[in-house]
Amino acid sequence: MDLNDSNMRENSKKPGDSTSQHGNENEENEIHDEIEDEIEIIEMNDEDVLDAEMDDMGLDEDENDNNEEEDDDDDEEEIECDPFLLKLEGHTGAIFCLDVSANNSLIATGSEDDTAMVFHSQNAEIVLKCQGHKDSVTCVRFSHDSQYLATGDLSGLIKVWKMASKEEIWSFELSDLEWLQWHPKGLVLFAGTVDGQVWMWKGPQFVETKTMQGPNAACSAAVLVNQDRCLCCGYGDGSLRIWDLKSAAVAHSLTDRHHAHEGQVNCIDCSTEFNLIATGGLDGIVELVQSNNGKFITKLDCRPRGGEGSSQQQRREGEDEEDAEERENKNSIESVALASRLPLLAVGTLAGELLVWDCHTTMLRHRFSNEAGVVKLLWLDHWIFTAGLDGCVRVFDGRSGSLLKKLQCHSKEILDFRLIGRSQVITASEDQSVKVFSVEL
């Protein structure tokens, strides 16, 4: 029956026609009673209704969850990596560090699996597996003559291995380790710790020891300066000290608030040709210092465009501590590198920027995006190599600032990298592998 017809009929009834109205009411009551007798009323909550509807559609919750997981998998695109020359495998955890021997024949790696390994650079054969560490191995360093390998873990356990006999010859345990390096001309080993100490041992017996006590803050970075007779150290409180190695005394220092960083010193590099030290900090600032006399030169602001004020002293209105820390970390400078023959400084930031400064004029020459946070950068002549959190190595022309080459090396973060000669780059990654690539320029 058409609804319009029904409405028209209802409206055509006279108001005084009570007999018709009572008759209709009696009929409706009888029908209602008959329906109640035939229907069993079942109370259902919302979940029961949803389950019933899903059953009607032939679905269940498990199938729905699986579909959601499949959708998530589809969203994650597989990253296709570029062809490599060699792949070193054997670790069962992320690879934090690597080093290449002076003659380029050996490659050492340190991993989250509490081991270090030495591989042959030509065929990826495992030459030595260094065991006995108590924590993740974060430092591996060959001596200047490639005869010894030093390995260090996060807990502070240091071991020295003799490559000829492939055996451990010395070990020492100190507080949590920050860095480890050899002297470039002799068998002298240095280490910096979280409690601000610098240790120095003389090989091959490693019995003769010197210590240099800094402030009550981690000794977070170091580099040898002044014909390798001094060690420049940066600390967690932002201060800088240049130690005389012979006397183990401070020759120069920058500790006042006008010259020190506002946060931890993350990285240091030096130029022997220009007697220059560059330090990069958590505050997004680079400081330039003369290495021969410790004189402060200038500060270079490398924070992302739009950054304002002091990274530690200012907080935006309504910003909580976690958001403020995240913003401050984006300012962090992860790597600084001075060109060997050019008065140029390259700076890599966690925000994913590469900056090139003119050291003579202290003017910014180039600033461009690296697309992902920069872990480390290296110079080779006028080329700049960067390793990023996106698993890529990029090569830039330091003079023009142009991008020359991009290699997708890993599907996860690159944590360390080195150059092998002038035509190869080796990368260590979160994906538990080390790869060697050709970089013909």
Side-chain angles (χ1 to χ4, degrees):
M1 178 183 296
D2 187 37
L3 292 177
N4 291 328
D5 292 341
S6 175
N7 291 335
M8 289 174 64
R9 291 178 183 178
E10 189 69 22
N11 293 333
S12 66
K13 295 178 181 177
K14 296 179 181 180
D17 193 358
S18 59
T19 304
S20 175
Q21 290 178 1
H22 287 302
N24 290 339
E25 288 177 0
N26 292 334
E27 292 178 0
E28 289 178 359
N29 289 335
E30 291 176 1
I31 294 172
H32 182 70
D33 292 339
E34 291 178 0
I35 292 174
E36 282 189 340
D37 291 339
E38 296 294 333
I39 297 177
E40 180 183 358
I41 298 175
I42 301 174
E43 294 183 359
M44 301 179 69
N45 57 31
D46 293 340
E47 292 182 359
D48 293 332
V49 173
L50 180 59
D51 291 341
E53 291 178 352
M54 292 177 65
D55 290 340
D56 291 340
M57 292 186 292
L59 298 174
D60 55 40
E61 291 184 1
D62 292 338
E63 291 176 348
N64 193 44
D65 292 340
N66 291 336
N67 290 337
E68 290 180 0
E69 292 178 1
E70 290 176 3
D71 291 340
D72 293 339
D73 293 339
D74 292 339
D75 292 339
E76 296 181 4
E77 296 181 2
E78 289 188 6
I79 298 176
E80 183 176 350
C81 296
D82 289 311
F84 52 83
L85 299 177
L86 202 64
K87 186 175 184 180
L88 313 182
E89 296 179 301
H91 285 293
T92 58
I95 301 173
F96 294 127
C97 55
L98 61 84
D99 197 20
V100 180
S101 63
N103 57 12
N104 294 331
S105 64
L106 299 175
I107 299 167
T109 59
S111 172
E112 185 182 22
D113 62 10
D114 302 352
T115 66
M117 290 187 180
V118 180
F119 299 85
H120 198 287
S121 63
Q122 296 300 315
N123 56 21
E125 178 186 350
I126 298 177
V127 176
L128 173 63
K129 188 169 184 178
C130 307
Q131 297 178 312
H133 280 285
K134 300 179 179 180
D135 207 335
S136 298
V137 178
T138 54
C139 299
V140 290
R141 293 289 183 270
F142 283 107
S143 61
H144 72 290
D145 57 4
S146 304
Q147 297 301 309
Y148 297 89
L149 174 71
T151 61
D153 66 32
L154 281 175
S155 72
L157 179 59
I158 299 172
K159 294 176 178 289
V160 174
W161 311 78
K162 190 171 184 178
M163 296 311 302
S165 59
K166 298 180 177 58
E167 63 180 355
E168 176 187 331
I169 62 167
W170 178 81
S171 67
F172 192 85
E173 195 163 2
L174 34 76
S175 58
D176 293 357
L177 185 66
E178 289 284 323
W179 53 267
L180 189 66
Q181 70 179 67
W182 291 95
H183 194 282
K185 298 175 184 176
L187 203 59
V188 178
L189 183 64
F190 302 92
T193 65
V194 73
D195 58 8
Q197 278 194 320
V198 175
W199 292 75
M200 181 172 65
W201 300 273
K202 186 176 181 181
Q205 284 78 30
F206 301 98
V207 175
E208 186 178 339
T209 305
K210 290 183 181 180
T211 59
M212 292 160 273
Q213 180 62 57
N216 187 25
C219 182
S220 48
V223 66
L224 286 157
V225 298
N226 300 338
Q227 290 78 48
D228 305 319
R229 293 176 301 195
C230 296
L231 185 70
C232 179
C233 297
Y235 295 87
D237 63 355
S239 63
L240 192 71
R241 289 168 175 79
I242 300 177
W243 296 89
D244 180 88
L245 296 180
K246 186 175 181 180
S247 64
V250 176
H252 310 286
S253 65
L254 295 174
T255 58
D256 63 282
R257 65 184 182 89
H258 297 292
H259 297 144
H261 286 274
E262 292 181 6
Q264 175 175 287
V265 177
N266 289 337
C267 46
I268 302 180
D269 195 24
C270 72
S271 168
T272 55
E273 186 170 346
F274 300 104
N275 289 321
L276 194 62
I277 297 171
T279 65
L282 187 64
D283 55 3
I285 302 296
V286 166
E287 294 190 358
L288 297 181
V289 179
Q290 283 187 301
S291 59
N292 54 348
N293 57 19
K295 182 181 178 181
F296 173 81
I297 299 174
T298 191
K299 291 187 177 185
L300 306 175
D301 192 345
C302 300
R303 289 170 292 187
R305 292 185 180 94
E308 73 246 30
S310 163
S311 63
Q312 286 195 329
Q313 296 175 356
Q314 292 187 2
R315 180 175 294 179
R316 296 172 182 172
E317 185 176 354
E319 187 177 45
D320 61 26
E321 184 175 350
E322 185 176 344
D323 291 339
E325 183 179 357
E326 182 179 354
R327 177 172 55 82
E328 290 166 7
N329 286 342
K330 288 183 179 179
N331 294 335
S332 178
I333 295 173
E334 298 299 297
S335 186
V336 293
L338 289 155
S340 58
R341 298 176 183 175
L342 299 171
L344 298 177
L345 167 69
V347 180
T349 73
L350 193 61
E353 289 190 318
L354 174 62
L355 302 93
V356 180
W357 296 83
D358 188 312
C359 296
H360 285 167
T361 64
T362 66
M363 298 295 292
L364 181 64
R365 293 186 58 167
H366 307 293
R367 183 176 200 151
F368 40 88
S369 174
N370 195 68
E371 299 180 31
V374 177
V375 175
K376 187 176 180 179
L377 53 81
L378 299 168
W379 282 93
L380 177 63
D381 295 338
H382 58 272
W383 299 303
I384 305 171
F385 291 73
T386 68
L389 292 175
D390 58 355
C392 290
V393 167
R394 294 173 176 85
V395 186
F396 299 88
D397 189 322
R399 299 168 302 182
S400 66
S402 58
L403 176 64
L404 303 178
K405 195 177 188 68
K406 176 183 174 181
L407 287 171
Q408 184 69 57
C409 303
H410 299 270
S411 59
K412 294 185 178 181
E413 299 95 330
I414 295 176
L415 302 180
D416 198 4
F417 86 121
R418 293 282 191 279
L419 299 178
I420 302 179
R422 300 179 61 84
S423 60
Q424 293 180 355
V425 61
I426 179 170
T427 58
S429 172
E430 178 78 23
D431 67 7
Q432 305 180 12
S433 71
V434 173
K435 296 179 183 178
V436 179
F437 295 87
S438 173
V439 283
E440 297 293 340
L441 296 172

